Amino acid sequence: MATAEGKVLQFKSPDTVDPSILETFPYAGPKQHVQYSTNEFTAVCPFSGLPDIGIVTIDYMPGEKCVELKSLKYYLLSYRDVGIYQEHVTAKLYEDISQTLQAQELTLTVVYQTRGGIDTTCSISSKDQ
């Protein structure tokens, strides 16, 4: 909860994001890399109350499942009013998508718009785990 000129800016807790909204469909085929990207991702900085806007890229090699895109869109949209730090967003996105897909490989990257003259890119890869 941030304040601005004596006003309290309300935002939701990260606990309100429900990963069960992510739906999958079976995949049976050759090894391939699948990449999804959106430049419409937003969450709220819990310190300032200002929006954090970023490009989310999900790059994975399916195991037995792929994520259904409409459910992915709704899942990502559910962060819009959530107060969460950039690094924590990336970690939660990775954790939720990793548990849902159980992919052979997964890399999740968020490139945030410049804030206060500082560029931020957060990335987690199963190759580093």
Side-chain angles (χ1 to χ4, degrees):
M1 199 175 332
T3 60
E5 299 178 30
K7 297 180 182 178
V8 176
L9 304 174
Q10 298 290 331
F11 42 80
K12 297 177 184 174
S13 163
D15 298 341
T16 63
V17 175
D18 182 6
S20 71
I21 196 170
L22 290 166
E23 296 181 15
T24 62
F25 59 89
Y27 177 75
K31 286 186 177 184
Q32 67 171 302
H33 280 273
V34 177
Q35 186 177 85
Y36 306 129
S37 185
T38 181
N39 61 357
E40 298 178 347
F41 180 79
T42 60
V44 179
C45 173
F47 182 78
S48 68
L50 297 172
D52 281 325
I53 301 167
I55 299 169
V56 173
T57 303
I58 301 163
D59 188 340
Y60 72 101
M61 184 179 300
E64 297 179 3
K65 303 183 251 188
C66 291
V67 70
E68 193 279 322
L69 293 181
K70 189 173 184 181
S71 74
L72 178 61
K73 179 178 181 114
Y74 287 136
Y75 169 76
L76 293 172
L77 282 171
S78 70
Y79 281 88
R80 192 178 88 182
D81 297 324
V82 172
I84 185 169
Y85 290 104
Q86 295 173 344
E87 298 82 358
H88 296 153
V89 168
T90 305
K92 179 152 178 49
L93 289 169
Y94 179 86
E95 180 181 309
D96 290 349
I97 292 168
S98 177
Q99 288 179 3
T100 298
L101 286 180
Q102 299 173 349
Q104 293 181 41
E105 293 179 11
L106 172 65
T107 300
L108 189 131
T109 304
V110 186
V111 179
Y112 291 94
Q113 287 187 3
T114 302
R115 172 78 79 73
I118 298 174
D119 296 322
T120 304
T121 300
C122 300
S123 185
I124 301 174
S125 177
S126 61
K127 297 174 188 175
D128 298 330
Q129 303 302 309

